[in-house]
Amino acid sequence: MSQTGSVRPWYRRMTARRPDEPHRSATPLELFFDLCFVVAVAQAAAGLHHDVAEGRVGHAVGGYLMVFFAIWWAWMNVTWFASAYDTDDDVYRITTLVEIAGALILAAGVPRAFEVGDFTTITYGYVVMRLAAVTHWIRAAAGDPGHRAAAVRYAVGVAVVQLGWILRLHLPDGWRVGSFVVLVLAELLVPAVAERPGMTPWHPRHIVERYGLFTLIVLGEVVLATSVAVQTGVDAGQRSLWSLAAAGAVIVFALWWLYFDRPVEVSTRLRRALFWGYGHYLIFASVAAVGAGLAVRVDHERHQAHLSGVGSAYAIAVPVAVYLLTLWALHVRRQQRGPARAAYPIVAALALLTPLGPVPAHLLAGLLFVLVAVTVVARRRSTSSTAGHVRR
């Protein structure tokens, strides 16, 4: 059949998609990609849970932040690239499946990273994902002359930093943390430098949807971790854990409500877009950590945690406080006015006091319930005020 026939070629020229394309939504490949990342998120949360329950809090937090960065950064870069250049041809699909394979390799290395501090497998999986991303950017440079400078900078920058991650495996143990921080900064600088010649044509509404979907994934991990922990305790005859499960459910529901209370918008200005996109690292990491914290609290109730009651309560309160402050900085601070705007930092501060109370998880659930109520009232007043101005 001729090239102008109805059969689609096995590849197509990678041209930019329109940033104002109507009805732009997540594709089945993107949803499959997210689903495979569930494994990595679950492994990271499980590692945090077990280390904190054993009393190795410093080791747990450090390892978790490092592991979660690899998960989040790889996911984020695939997401933003797909928003601008998803051609959905065979080459694009195969390259994305290679990135998924890298995510599974990364997930397989998470337990060893927590247990003995060996990041070799995680690094290999991460580099597989990122080098596949280089293939994407090379195709974009060839197919989109208008954004070629940005695509070339991405391809070169990502490739150079991956060489750094490989070399890091051969450094002395004393250099591992410092080299990690340097390479993280290098990763974060690549988009900031690459986008300056002209921002790639990512789709704002599509990006918001993708971030919302990943938020749902980490919330799902909280539900799963809490459910499994409570089930284990109930099977052992501790019916009192049902009360903790109810408090955990209110916490999860409140976290969901607060994130999705109002339509989210992301600015197309580079600095604000980077702030919004990078800030979600704390959103995703803190939500997954809430699930680990609830599991730690269950372990404490079952007398299986090498951690005090106050310490196990802080395992929930700290990530909740981080979540509220980050959500306030990214969404609420710009969208709300009046008392509701200050409610998030206030509740975050009060959340850090709940571990000193008699039933910390229940107190935290009550605080979040009040914050949801304040948010709902503020939204309704804002809607009524807007409707009144329109009628005039």
Side-chain angles (χ1 to χ4, degrees), residues 160-211:
V160 169
V161 177
Q162 299 326 294
L163 178 61
W165 287 114
I166 295 296
L167 293 176
R168 177 179 176 271
L169 296 177
H170 304 285
L171 293 177
D173 290 343
W175 293 20
R176 294 291 175 87
V177 175
S179 60
F180 180 87
V181 173
V182 170
L183 289 169
V184 165
L185 293 176
E187 291 276 18
L188 295 175
L189 281 173
V190 169
V193 173
E195 296 279 352
R196 289 194 179 278
M199 292 183 68
T200 51
W202 48 273
H203 195 294
R205 288 195 302 275
H206 176 250
I207 286 294
V208 168
E209 180 192 20
R210 299 292 292 116
Y211 271 68

Side-chain angles (χ1 to χ4, degrees), residues 2 31 65 89 95 102-103 112 136 219 245 261 269 304 344 347:
S2 67
L31 297 176
L65 293 177
D89 60 7
T95 307
R112 187 166 180 81
H136 278 320
L219 283 169
D261 179 68
R269 296 176 59 182
Q304 293 185 351
Y344 283 72
V347 172

Side-chain angles (χ1 to χ4, degrees), residues 18-72:
R18 288 171 47 196
D20 60 347
E21 180 182 342
H23 311 298
R24 182 79 161 93
S25 60
T27 66
L29 182 58
E30 287 179 311
L31 297 176
F32 182 49
F33 180 79
D34 288 356
L35 182 63
C36 292
F37 261 81
V38 170
V39 180
V41 173
Q43 291 278 35
L48 178 64
H49 161 214
H50 292 303
D51 268 12
V52 172
E54 291 296 322
R56 301 192 296 267
V57 177
H59 178 269
V61 173
Y64 178 73
L65 293 177
M66 293 169 71
V67 167
F68 207 93
F69 173 83
I71 297 170
W72 162 77

Side-chain angles (χ1 to χ4, degrees), residues 250-293:
V250 172
I251 291 172
V252 175
F253 296 162
L255 298 183
W256 171 85
W257 192 297
L258 295 172
Y259 187 93
F260 294 100
D261 179 68
R262 296 189 182 202
V264 176
E265 295 182 359
V266 55
S267 172
T268 54
R269 296 176 59 182
L270 178 58
R271 182 176 296 180
R272 290 183 179 178
L274 290 177
F275 177 74
W276 187 88
Y278 289 1
H280 270 75
Y281 166 72
L282 294 176
I283 292 282
F284 299 149
S286 61
V287 171
V290 169

